[in-house]
Amino acid sequence: MNGAAPEASVTCLGEALFDCLAEERGVPKEQVKTWIPYPGGAPANVAAALGRLGVKVSFVSAVGQDELGEQMLDLLQSRHVDLTPVQRVPEPTRDVLVTRDEAGEREFSGFGAAKNNEYADCFIDADLIPEPTIKNSVALVTGTLGLSFPKTAAAMRKAVSYARSGPCSVLVDINWRPVFWESLSHKAVQMVSEYAGGADILKLSEEEAEWLYGVHSDQAMKQPELVLQAVPETVQGVLITAGGHGAAYCFRAANGAPLIKGFVPVLKVKVSDTTGAGDAFLSGFLYSMVKAGGLSAFQQDGDKLRSAVEFAAACGGFTCSKPGAISAQPTLEEAKTLMSTAKTPA
């Protein structure tokens, strides 16, 4: 993409793809008759959600020179996402097959047009990572899927080094998806944990807390400090999500004060599709982080931190009420309305 990049409040780096959602629920991949494509990919989801909430955001990725790539970029542009850092490559834009159970919970079931390591997002060029954009951001947001592809992994690490050279906080969403790792699955724990250890904030699910750090899912939600204690001391906070069971958090406080921790229940909504709910949750948290002036504001004020997690839960809950990771994302007004009108389950 061409043109001068505006100053960004958040930079999202990673995959942009299409989730092909099974129309039929409760059946295996082989029995699905109709796949409905929805734009997605965790970093793209977060960027789009931030744009919808009114946050200035830049997106760094590699996207195919194909129709799916054009659709993705048109959508992100409509959300006012800065696409200057997007790289266009000859490889196809990724399509992922997603099945759903009867309750709407999704499972990643494989790929469509190409092999796992032949998609555009495998080839983000480290030499084209925009250093000034990242340095000027409040936060750099990445997942970990790109670590399984050497070229993209190098770009991710370079982006983190740029963030480290400025005031930008690094937020890593573990987002464990086995189908992306294939032959590297035996190395995944080491690779992901090493990369995650360089974050300021970690966002992970209760299952990922157990998989990566050996903290049982129940313990992770009741005692999120156990997860924080399992990561390097340079990590300042953890956000732990448990789908319909709520979210827990634990952050290191300023000036050596006691840890700031808590639990936020979900809001009661009629679930249509949970795809992208975690990404909407993360965007809500980042919205509050930008508004507060950065991570340090949360470490100095536990009430601000809790409010940020509550708003994040509202954004995630709203997204569950409609199909599609991006199309279901709330506006600022919609998220605030849900917070004020919805009840938490008894």
Side-chain angles (χ1 to χ4, degrees):
M1 308 296 289
N2 298 317
E7 182 179 349
S9 290
V10 176
T11 299
C12 298
L13 186 154
E15 65 277 2
L17 53 81
F18 278 76
D19 290 314
C20 298
L21 202 63
E23 186 172 24
E24 300 87 357
R25 295 190 183 191
V27 300
K29 176 179 68 173
E30 294 75 17
Q31 296 179 23
V32 174
K33 297 179 180 179
T34 305
W35 300 94
I36 304 173
Y38 292 97
N45 290 344
V46 174
L50 285 168
R52 192 159 176 81
L53 291 172
V55 177
K56 289 165 56 176
V57 56
S58 289
F59 183 53
V60 183
S61 187
V63 173
Q65 299 169 357
D66 52 17
E67 181 59 30
L68 288 182
E70 292 298 330
Q71 291 179 28
M72 175 63 70
L73 296 182
D74 286 347
L75 175 58
L76 292 175
Q77 192 168 44
S78 74
R79 292 289 182 87
H80 308 291
V81 176
D82 169 35
L83 301 176
T84 308
V86 171
Q87 305 166 23
R88 302 302 298 271
V89 296
E91 290 78 14
T93 302
R94 187 180 296 270
D95 52 350
V96 180
L97 305 181
V98 182
T99 54
R100 293 185 289 173
D101 65 17
E102 294 291 350
E105 290 288 338
R106 81 268 191 227
E107 179 181 351
F108 291 81
S109 301
F111 303 102
K115 295 180 180 179
N116 180 38
N117 62 354
E118 295 176 350
Y119 284 102
D121 56 83
C122 304
F123 301 99
I124 302 176
D125 191 338
D127 292 337
L128 300 178
I129 297 298
E131 181 176 3
T133 299
I134 294 172
K135 281 186 174 181
N136 290 329
S137 294
V138 172
L140 167 69
V141 183
T142 83
T144 63
L145 301 184
L147 296 174
S148 60
F149 312 116
K151 188 166 185 176
T152 291
M156 293 166 63
R157 294 187 178 101
K158 177 166 276 191
V160 170
S161 72
Y162 288 156
R164 288 276 168 255
S165 66
C168 178
S169 296
V170 177
L171 195 157
V172 173
D173 179 3
I174 299 299
N175 196 31
W176 168 241
R177 298 289 181 265
V179 294
F180 280 78
W181 287 84
E182 295 183 336
S183 62
L184 285 175
S185 60
H186 64 292
K187 298 181 179 179
V189 170
Q190 179 183 352
M191 293 172 68
V192 171
S193 62
E194 287 180 354
Y195 182 78
D200 295 298
I201 303 173
L202 283 182
K203 184 254 180 188
L204 66 168
S205 69
E206 55 177 341
E207 295 92 347
E208 290 164 346
E210 186 166 356
W211 169 71
L212 198 56
Y213 301 114
V215 180
H216 191 273
S217 57
D218 288 342
Q219 284 184 307
M221 300 309 294
K222 294 176 181 177
Q223 298 175 277
E225 66 271 19
L226 296 178
V227 179
L228 188 62
Q229 292 166 1
V231 300
E233 291 185 0
T234 51
V235 178
Q236 298 302 304
V238 294
L239 298 166
I240 309 168
T241 57
H245 300 292
Y249 61 93
C250 185
F251 279 62
R252 304 186 197 278
N255 303 317
L259 296 174
I260 307 171
K261 61 180 182 177
F263 173 82
V264 172
V266 298
L267 297 175
K268 192 173 183 179
V269 298
K270 184 178 180 180
V271 174
S272 171
D273 174 25
T274 61
T275 304
D279 304 325
F281 174 96
L282 184 54
S283 72
F285 182 83
L286 286 161
Y287 167 86
S288 298
M289 184 170 159
V290 169
K291 185 177 178 181
L295 170 60
S296 62
F298 292 158
Q299 296 179 283
Q300 294 168 10
D301 188 334
D303 290 338
K304 283 185 179 179
L305 176 57
R306 181 172 183 84
S307 294
V309 181
E310 289 174 342
F311 182 72
C315 291
F318 187 94
T319 300
C320 290
S321 67
K322 299 179 181 181
I326 292 179
S327 59
Q329 293 166 345
T331 63
L332 181 59
E333 188 61 34
E334 286 171 334
K336 288 182 175 180
T337 298
L338 181 62
M339 285 186 72
S340 64
T341 59
K343 297 180 179 180
T344 57

